[in-house]
Amino acid sequence: CFVSSRIAAALGQGGEAWTLPIVTAISVVAATAFPKRLGALEKGGNLVANVLLGFFFACVGARGSVATVMGEAPALFAYSMVQIAVHFVVLYALNAATIKAPLRDLLLASNANVGGPTTAVSMANARRWESSKVPALLVGVFGYATATFLSLALGIRVLKPWAFA
């Protein structure tokens, strides 16, 4: 974070908004440039990742309640269900018309796009799809990495001019 905040300041983009995207870029470039060197971290990283995933889902699930959402905001629940259903139908149709990936890969890609890498890896783990855990993680991280920069660009180029209108 220190390095990314210094890079942001050097680029004239000071502020905390750019810290995460720059850390993301540094991490993706490092993992891509030095896969063998960073691969040595995998064994210990898997253990730490599984423990942290457990904490993550415990924290998220501790306050989550489908019944509360249905009672407090049924329209939001319905919207979310329709959005996820449309996402999967479009993904399924595009897959059928193009690459024809197996249903397992399609389900994991959909999960990674909707829920992020943590839920996709957890799904692969729960279904015992060992060979799909790393691809699910990579698809989710790629989605985060690209969406972070796209959303910042959208905010700066499109939404920011309206903020002071």
Side-chain angles (χ1 to χ4, degrees):
C1 291
F2 175 78
V3 172
S4 66
S5 63
R6 295 293 179 225
I7 292 171
L11 294 173
Q13 300 295 330
E16 293 180 16
W18 285 94
T19 302
L20 180 61
I22 292 173
V23 167
T24 300
I26 291 169
S27 300
V28 170
V29 168
T32 303
F34 309 107
K36 289 183 181 174
R37 182 96 167 140
L38 294 175
L41 301 173
E42 180 183 6
K43 288 185 176 81
N46 279 338
L47 176 63
V48 172
N50 283 332
V51 169
L52 292 176
L53 274 174
F55 282 121
F56 172 77
F57 286 116
C59 292
V60 169
R63 301 272 305 163
S65 167
V66 174
T68 302
V69 173
M70 291 290 290
E72 299 284 325
L76 178 63
F77 184 80
Y79 172 76
S80 297
M81 295 306 294
V82 168
Q83 184 180 25
I84 291 169
V86 167
H87 163 78
F88 187 74
V89 167
V90 169
L91 189 65
Y92 191 81
L94 288 174
N95 180 60
T98 58
I99 63 173
K100 298 174 179 50
L103 184 61
R104 174 180 79 175
D105 295 346
L106 197 61
L107 291 170
L108 284 171
S110 178
N111 190 329
N113 282 283
V114 172
T118 52
T119 60
V121 171
S122 295
M123 178 181 176
N125 199 29
R127 302 291 302 169
R128 307 233 191 294
W129 295 335
E130 297 298 322
S131 64
S132 296
K133 286 172 26 177
V134 172
L137 177 70
L138 291 175
V139 168
V141 170
F142 178 74
Y144 278 176
T146 55
T148 298
F149 292 102
L150 290 173
S151 62
L152 277 171
L154 175 71
I156 290 168
R157 299 285 183 220
V158 178
L159 301 177
K160 191 174 183 179
W162 291 348
F164 300 106

